[in-house]
């Protein structure tokens, strides 16, 4: 089973709202990732958690706050987003530093 | 110059044709090479994974890696309309970071 699940599928939020995206994997992978993908562009890495510790932060604005409660779960907390943050947010996981498996994504619209 | 170059297409082929996709790269530290298929508004799905140079076949899909030329390819035989998607090449030096190509949009005409 190579499944990464993400909730919600769609999210619409105002610029003053606080919301969270959730990601789960049960493959025993020890690395989990958040990506942002704009239309007709490849995914852009935001954060990497390795063994539940934040190991890479690609200079993402502080209005995005990641959290890894345990080895199977990854959250992305959103606060005071801008309309240009509207995108497909993808979660991925990997056993090590090699192949990454992506979830279906959360389509976020910021009004 | 981008680290990974991929022609964005679009590429349109008739059903049953062979689809040929490729990427070139500049970073000689890359050792893991992947092809992902992404349908519109969905997450990327891993199609093929190759470590270092060589060929790998899985059903209708063949992936080739030539590290000496810094060139990777994906071939899809007997293409079907359901193969219509964007195909992304990705590669890694083993540091958790994937470098993606721009993605090639493929349409298989029935």
């Amino acid at each position: 089973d190579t499944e990464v699940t993400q909730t919600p599928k769609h999210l619409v939020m105002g610029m003053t709202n606080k919301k969270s995206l959730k990601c789960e994997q049960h493959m025993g992978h020890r690395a989990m990732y958040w990506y942002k993908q704009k239309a007709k562009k490849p995914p852009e890495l935001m954060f990497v958690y390795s063994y539940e510790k934040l190991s890479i932060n690609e200079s993402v604005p502080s209005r995005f706050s990641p959290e890894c409660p345990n080895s199977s779960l990854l959250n992305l907390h959103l606060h005071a987003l801008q309309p240009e943050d509207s995108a497909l947010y993808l979660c991925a996981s990997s056993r090590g530093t090699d192949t990454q498996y992506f979830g279906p994504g959360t389509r976020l619209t910021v009004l | 110059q981008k680290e990974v170059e991929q022609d964005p297409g679009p590429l349109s082929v008739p059903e049953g044709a062979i689809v040929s996709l490729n990427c070139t790269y500049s970073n000689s530290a890359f050792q893991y090479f992947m092809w992902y298929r992404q349908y519109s508004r969905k997450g990327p799905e891993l199609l093929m994974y190759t470590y270092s140079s060589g060929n790998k076949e899985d059903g209708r899909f063949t992936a080739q890696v030539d590290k000496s030329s810094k060139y990777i390819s994906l071939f899809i035989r007997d293409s079907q309309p359901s193969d219509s998607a964007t195909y992304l090449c990705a590669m890694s030096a083993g540091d958790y970071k994937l470098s993606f190509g721009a993605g090639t949009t493929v349409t298989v005409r029935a």
Side-chain angles (χ1 to χ4, degrees):
Chain A
D1 184 13
T2 55
E3 189 177 26
V4 176
T5 58
Q6 290 186 243
T7 55
K9 286 187 172 57
H10 304 277
L11 180 62
V12 179
M13 59 186 291
M15 290 191 284
T16 58
N17 291 158
K18 285 185 182 181
K19 296 286 185 184
S20 296
L21 309 184
K22 297 184 183 304
C23 173
E24 190 167 6
Q25 58 88 14
H26 293 288
M27 296 178 278
H29 288 175
R30 304 317 302 253
M32 296 186 76
Y33 309 75
W34 281 116
Y35 286 85
K36 173 182 177 180
Q37 187 178 26
K38 298 286 257 184
K40 299 191 185 303
K41 297 288 187 184
E44 295 174 32
L45 183 64
M46 299 174 74
F47 303 103
V48 180
Y49 273 83
S50 174
Y51 290 88
E52 300 162 49
K53 289 190 183 346
L54 184 64
S55 61
I56 296 176
N57 176 340
E58 294 286 84
S59 303
V60 178
S62 60
R63 57 185 184 269
F64 295 91
S65 175
E67 178 196 18
C68 189
N70 60 53
S71 60
S72 300
L73 293 173
L74 187 66
N75 298 322
L76 186 63
H77 304 295
L78 314 172
H79 174 55
L81 295 193
Q82 305 296 310
E84 60 264 28
D85 296 321
S86 298
L88 182 67
Y89 287 84
L90 295 162
C91 175
S93 71
S94 66
R95 187 171 48 244
T97 58
D98 54 341
T99 316
Q100 295 181 25
Y101 295 88
F102 286 84
T106 293
R107 184 155 300 278
L108 174 68
T109 302
V110 182
L111 300 176
Chain B
Q1 185 188 3
K2 291 182 184 175
E3 201 169 40
V4 179
E5 298 278 359
Q6 181 179 8
D7 185 343
L11 183 62
S12 179
V13 300
E15 184 175 358
I18 294 175
V19 176
S20 175
L21 304 167
N22 58 75
C23 292
T24 58
Y25 63 94
S26 56
N27 187 346
S28 57
F30 289 149
Q31 50 186 315
Y32 301 100
F33 302 91
M34 287 140 277
W35 285 96
Y36 290 90
R37 176 174 64 193
Q38 187 170 25
Y39 293 113
S40 182
R41 304 169 83 86
K42 304 289 186 186
E45 172 194 4
L46 179 68
L47 277 180
M48 301 290 283
Y49 160 64
T50 309
Y51 172 68
S52 194
S53 282
N55 294 357
K56 190 170 187 178
E57 191 172 317
D58 183 4
R60 297 185 296 114
F61 300 91
T62 299
Q64 294 181 347
V65 174
D66 182 349
K67 289 188 73 178
S68 63
S69 302
K70 297 190 175 68
Y71 185 90
I72 71 170
S73 302
L74 177 71
F75 299 96
I76 308 173
R77 291 183 299 281
D78 188 26
S79 58
Q80 305 295 311
S82 58
D83 294 324
S84 299
T86 296
Y87 290 81
L88 292 154
C89 65
M91 38 201 88
S92 169
D95 57 356
Y96 294 112
K97 294 189 179 186
L98 286 184
S99 292
F100 286 94
T104 301
T105 301
V106 174
T107 300
V108 180
R109 308 185 306 271

